[in-house]
Amino acid sequence: HVQLVESGGGSVQAGGSLRLSCTSFGSPISDRCMGWVRQDPGKEREGVAAIDIYGKTSHADSVKGRFTISKDNAKNTLYLQMNSLKPEDTAMYFCAAAPGMLPGRRSMLLAPQYQYWGQGTQVTVS
């Protein structure tokens, strides 16, 4: 059983920064593709960023140049550094773990590809 626990959300002004963390319990993140997905009420889930077992990353066009996904396999923790935040980044951010590897950068950003989900952490930008 995989349990994902996020932290680091909060409220910031536009232009500010936040760093989200996600620690995995029960399974090493080194064995699977990991991602961040966000959802605002009334909108569809949006894959924000993902990282595979080799460290290859994929970022949505809406966050490229502003957000950076990374991981620390030794700490079994996934990160999302968010800079130059905009009001449209406001959403609940979820950490997600895929069953294993995902084929290609495009599929890494598809929410239905992920099997395990954290409880989410709210990010509000005003």
Side-chain angles (χ1 to χ4, degrees), residues 37-41 89-94 119-123:
V37 176
R38 67 185 180 187
Q39 187 169 25
D40 208 18
D89 294 319
T90 295
M92 185 73 79
Y93 284 71
F94 297 90
Q119 81 285 355
T121 185
Q122 179 67 37
V123 172

Side-chain angles (χ1 to χ4, degrees), residues 22-102:
C22 168
T23 300
S24 173
F25 299 92
S27 177
I29 64 171
S30 57
D31 289 353
R32 58 182 81 239
C33 184
M34 300 292 297
W36 290 97
V37 176
R38 67 185 180 187
Q39 187 169 25
D40 208 18
K43 296 183 181 179
E44 292 190 359
R45 291 181 299 178
E46 177 189 15
V48 175
I51 186 166
D52 74 5
I53 65 173
Y54 302 113
K56 180 180 70 181
T57 63
S58 181
H59 295 82
D61 289 344
S62 58
V63 304
K64 276 182 182 175
R66 300 188 298 121
F67 291 11
T68 303
I69 190 171
S70 63
K71 64 178 180 173
D72 186 331
N73 288 336
K75 295 182 178 179
N76 225 24
T77 299
L78 180 73
Y79 303 100
L80 184 67
Q81 179 65 45
M82 305 186 294
N83 298 328
S84 302
L85 282 160
K86 304 176 181 179
E88 51 264 45
D89 294 319
T90 295
M92 185 73 79
Y93 284 71
F94 297 90
C95 173
M101 276 289 288
L102 294 176

Side-chain angles (χ1 to χ4, degrees), residues 10-29:
S11 297
V12 295
Q13 292 188 335
S17 298
L18 284 173
R19 188 195 197 202
L20 305 184
S21 299
C22 168
T23 300
S24 173
F25 299 92
S27 177
I29 64 171

